[in-house]
Amino acid sequence: MDQEKLNKVIEAAKLYYLLDYNQNEIAKILGISRPTVSRLLQQAKSDGIVQISIMDPTENVENLEAKLEKKFNLKKAMVASIPQYEDHIIKNYLGVKAAQFLDEIVKDNDIIGVTWGTTLYHIAVELRQKFVKNVHVVQLKGGVSYSETNTYASEILYLFGKAYNTAPHNLPLPAIVDHVVVKQAMEADRHIRKILEQGRKANIALYTMGTVKTDSLLFQMGYFTDSDRESLYEKAVGDICSRFFDKDGNVCNESLNERTLGINLEDLREKEHSILVAGGPNKIDGIYGAIKARYANVLITDQFTAQFLLDKKE
């Protein structure tokens, strides 16, 4: 097969299997007919470029959990068995799992640091009230923006506070500002400084993984310049607490990182429970980079993502 045809086979396969474009859409993008797209996809399978495996959702999740803990040296792995590999279904099931885990571990005098977003909201609505004393809940990163996109930050904090009988501490700031001096001025305020310090002291940190896609929540909030977006598309595999990193867990775009308000990635390594709750095909590389860099010591995911992580080579 000549190089030009091989490139088309690979491009068609990526659009179809990874990005969920249908064959008509691929035909328009590549400027070819739909039957040609079908032949290219068949060629990709017959040549081994695309290898399809079926993962049984009823597979023993305890086995997957044990394998994840061993491969990535995790304190704890929890795997939810989901019926379909779709984003909204994944978040529902992970929400239940994460809420159950919190019910097991939260105790008197804990400080729980949380972020925002739809995954955290699904966790918050599943929380059961637990009668513990002197528990504090604090927001780990800013979330204010001029966008109309809902981060669910206030709802999440309210539900966590209600579950653990405490008044939560929100961080009423943007996640990212335009200039470092603006960030420094905000952090100089004694009230803000106290909340940030409490986030650093939190022994439980609960967060999810953001994707590097235009439709992700953080990208819809209007924080990024064109230059920021280009640098992230080039290297980043995901973000935790609005801090972007590459496949090895190294921070991408230091300038952007220096303008981000909230907990640093390095601080997550020091937590008693640093809990990453994430799943889905768009988050596999990000999850892998995060646990490889030891940001998380607890992973809550689904059985499909778990298997992809176990199969992933260095």
Side-chain angles (χ1 to χ4, degrees):
M1 191 188 314
D2 63 52
Q3 188 63 45
E4 185 178 350
K5 185 177 181 184
L6 177 60
N7 289 342
K8 278 200 172 178
V9 169
I10 293 170
E11 191 170 359
K14 285 181 176 179
L15 289 168
Y16 188 76
Y17 291 104
L18 297 182
L19 299 177
D20 292 329
Y21 284 88
N22 63 40
Q23 293 190 20
N24 286 328
E25 291 170 332
I26 296 169
K28 289 178 182 176
I29 292 169
L30 298 184
I32 55 180
S33 68
R34 187 184 176 285
T36 302
V37 172
S38 182
R39 286 194 293 272
L40 291 175
L41 295 175
Q42 187 58 47
Q43 183 87 45
K45 284 193 285 186
S46 61
D47 287 359
I49 293 168
V50 169
Q51 299 178 20
I52 298 173
S53 60
I54 305 298
M55 288 175 287
D56 183 355
T58 62
E59 181 183 352
N60 187 344
V61 294
E62 291 181 1
N63 186 39
L64 290 173
E65 290 168 349
K67 288 180 178 178
L68 285 170
E69 289 169 3
K70 182 177 180 181
K71 178 175 179 178
F72 297 107
N73 194 28
L74 294 167
K75 180 181 285 189
K76 179 78 171 176
M78 296 184 74
V79 176
S81 183
I82 59 171
Q84 290 175 273
Y85 204 35
E86 294 181 11
D87 193 51
H88 68 284
I89 293 174
I90 294 169
K91 289 177 180 179
N92 280 328
Y93 280 77
L94 296 190
V96 173
K97 274 283 185 189
Q100 289 171 348
F101 182 61
L102 287 172
D103 192 58
E104 292 173 17
I105 66 168
V106 173
K107 60 189 185 305
D108 293 351
N109 304 311
D110 279 342
I111 302 175
I112 307 169
V114 299
T115 57
W116 41 255
T118 52
T119 300
L120 268 291
Y121 180 70
H122 279 87
I123 298 169
V125 298
E126 296 292 342
L127 291 174
R128 291 189 295 182
Q129 189 163 17
K130 187 169 186 179
F131 296 98
V132 285
K133 298 176 183 176
N134 196 36
V135 166
H136 297 275
V137 174
V138 61
Q139 190 175 327
L140 290 177
K141 66 170 182 174
V144 175
S145 81
Y146 61 79
S147 166
E148 294 181 2
T149 304
N150 189 359
T151 66
Y152 298 98
S154 59
E155 294 96 325
I156 291 163
L157 288 169
Y158 168 76
L159 291 167
F160 268 83
K162 183 180 176 184
Y164 302 118
N165 192 34
T166 185
H169 303 280
N170 75 308
L171 191 60
L173 303 173
I176 300 165
V177 293
D178 290 337
H179 303 286
V180 175
V181 290
V182 176
K183 174 185 172 181
Q184 291 169 343
M186 289 176 172
E187 290 180 334
D189 179 88
R190 61 191 174 92
H191 302 290
I192 298 300
R193 191 166 62 245
K194 185 177 180 181
I195 295 169
L196 290 169
E197 184 57 33
Q198 194 167 43
R200 282 190 286 270
K201 288 180 178 177
N203 62 306
I204 299 172
L206 183 72
Y207 51 90
T208 189
M209 169 74 54
T211 60
V212 189
K213 293 171 72 72
T214 54
D215 60 354
S216 73
L217 189 55
L218 193 59
F219 276 74
Q220 293 178 48
M221 295 179 71
Y223 291 133
F224 304 123
T225 64
D226 290 341
S227 174
D228 290 334
R229 281 191 290 271
E230 286 174 15
S231 72
L232 296 177
Y233 291 146
E234 185 180 343
K235 292 183 179 178
V237 294
D239 85 274
I240 290 173
C241 298
S242 303
R243 298 185 185 274
F244 289 85
F245 51 89
D246 64 18
K247 61 184 178 60
D248 297 313
N250 300 313
V251 169
C252 295
N253 193 325
E254 279 297 341
S255 169
L256 185 64
N257 195 56
E258 288 170 2
R259 294 184 277 119
T260 302
L261 284 149
I263 196 165
N264 288 302
L265 292 175
E266 294 78 12
D267 294 327
L268 295 173
R269 294 186 179 125
E270 309 303 317
K271 305 299 182 190
E272 179 186 0
H273 300 287
S274 184
I275 310 165
L276 172 57
V277 185
N282 294 322
K283 298 190 176 185
I284 294 166
D285 288 341
I287 296 169
Y288 189 84
I291 53 181
K292 183 178 178 182
R294 302 275 186 263
Y295 297 137
N297 58 31
V298 177
L299 174 64
I300 301 176
T301 192
D302 63 86
Q303 84 274 20
F304 297 112
T305 302
Q307 191 62 60
F308 281 123
L309 291 168
L310 291 169
D311 293 341
K312 200 168 173 61
K313 300 290 190 287
E314 291 288 342

